[in-house]
Amino acid sequence: MKQGFFEIIANEKLTDNVMKLVLRGDTSQITAPGQFVNIKIDGFFLRRPISVCDCEQGVSGVLTLIYKIVGEGTRALAEYEPERVLDILTGLGNGYDITKAGDEPLLIGGGAGVPPMFLLCRNLIAAGRKPVVILGFNSKSEVFYENEFQALGAQVIVTTADGSYGISGFVTDAMKDLSYSYTYACGPEPMLRAVYDKSACSGQYSFEERMGCGFGACMGCSCRTKYGNKRICKDGPVLEKEEIIW
């Protein structure tokens, strides 16, 4: 973990309530896809945890975050303009392990769980893997980053719960006829549990939890696993399929 100061390059809308925040600063502590950062927002006591979408390494690297406006804190963040400097904790969480992926991993992101899949997908392709990506949304108006995943060279499948775009239904409906070597998933817990039940192989699942500190000190986000209690912010957010207790 490292505290650093990042300058905003861009802070723009992708959909009505989803923002893309691009920052410049020291990204050296971000070592794996699936990690997150904690942003200090003026006027709010607790920092806001946001998953890393993309990262160019370096002491003056570029960090891309995608966040959903869900409350007063993220609403305030959405008003921040370029050249503003943010106080950020980086290198939080354990991230995904790509060494277990096999040749044809399946990546599944639901809503706010889509962003960490992007850096994971990029790293897998760089390692010679051939990922298939399923992106799940409620409706066509909420879809984002489909083209960006395709530009990486991945096969991309989009599902919408209301059937307004792509495959009608949930991400598990798109899994039916696919063959894959490993599963990576991030999204709301009901989606993760459905993917867990549907997946025919091992995998890694990234969990969301309310975090007080973001680095394991407050114990506010602990959960039970088959190997004892773990803190989502430090021992997670990524857990192995075999250790999850629902």
Side-chain angles (χ1 to χ4, degrees), residues 3-160:
Q3 182 178 13
F5 296 93
F6 286 71
E7 180 183 2
I8 296 177
I9 299 173
N11 192 20
E12 57 194 20
K13 276 191 173 185
L14 293 179
T15 70
D16 285 344
N17 65 346
V18 174
M19 303 289 295
K20 178 181 179 180
L21 178 63
V22 184
L23 306 159
R24 186 177 301 280
D26 185 354
T27 61
S28 59
Q29 295 297 305
I30 300 170
T31 59
Q35 288 183 300
F36 66 96
V37 301
N38 241 358
I39 301 179
K40 181 175 174 55
I41 302 174
D42 291 345
F44 295 87
F45 177 69
L46 295 178
R47 293 174 180 262
R48 266 42 181 192
I50 300 176
S51 298
V52 173
C53 175
D54 202 5
C55 178
E56 295 178 14
Q57 286 282 350
V59 294
S60 186
V62 177
L63 176 64
T64 301
L65 309 174
I66 294 177
Y67 63 97
K68 190 174 183 179
I69 301 173
V70 294
E72 294 303 319
T74 46
R75 188 169 292 110
L77 180 61
E79 298 298 321
Y80 285 8
E81 297 183 350
E83 299 186 1
R84 183 162 184 161
V85 175
L86 301 181
D87 179 343
I88 298 179
L89 300 179
T90 62
L92 302 174
N94 64 349
Y96 292 105
D97 180 357
I98 71 169
T99 65
K100 301 181 179 182
D103 292 332
E104 297 180 327
L106 177 63
L107 281 57
I108 303 174
V114 167
M117 294 293 106
F118 185 77
L119 182 57
L120 175 61
C121 183
R122 186 157 70 82
N123 287 4
L124 286 166
I125 289 174
R129 308 299 195 268
K130 296 180 179 179
V132 175
V133 181
I134 302 175
L135 308 178
F137 302 94
N138 289 318
S139 66
K140 182 178 180 179
S141 64
E142 297 181 7
V143 176
F144 65 89
Y145 253 56
E146 177 187 9
N147 294 336
E148 286 80 356
F149 277 97
Q150 290 174 340
L152 291 177
Q155 178 186 344
V156 182
I157 303 168
V158 177
T159 69
T160 53

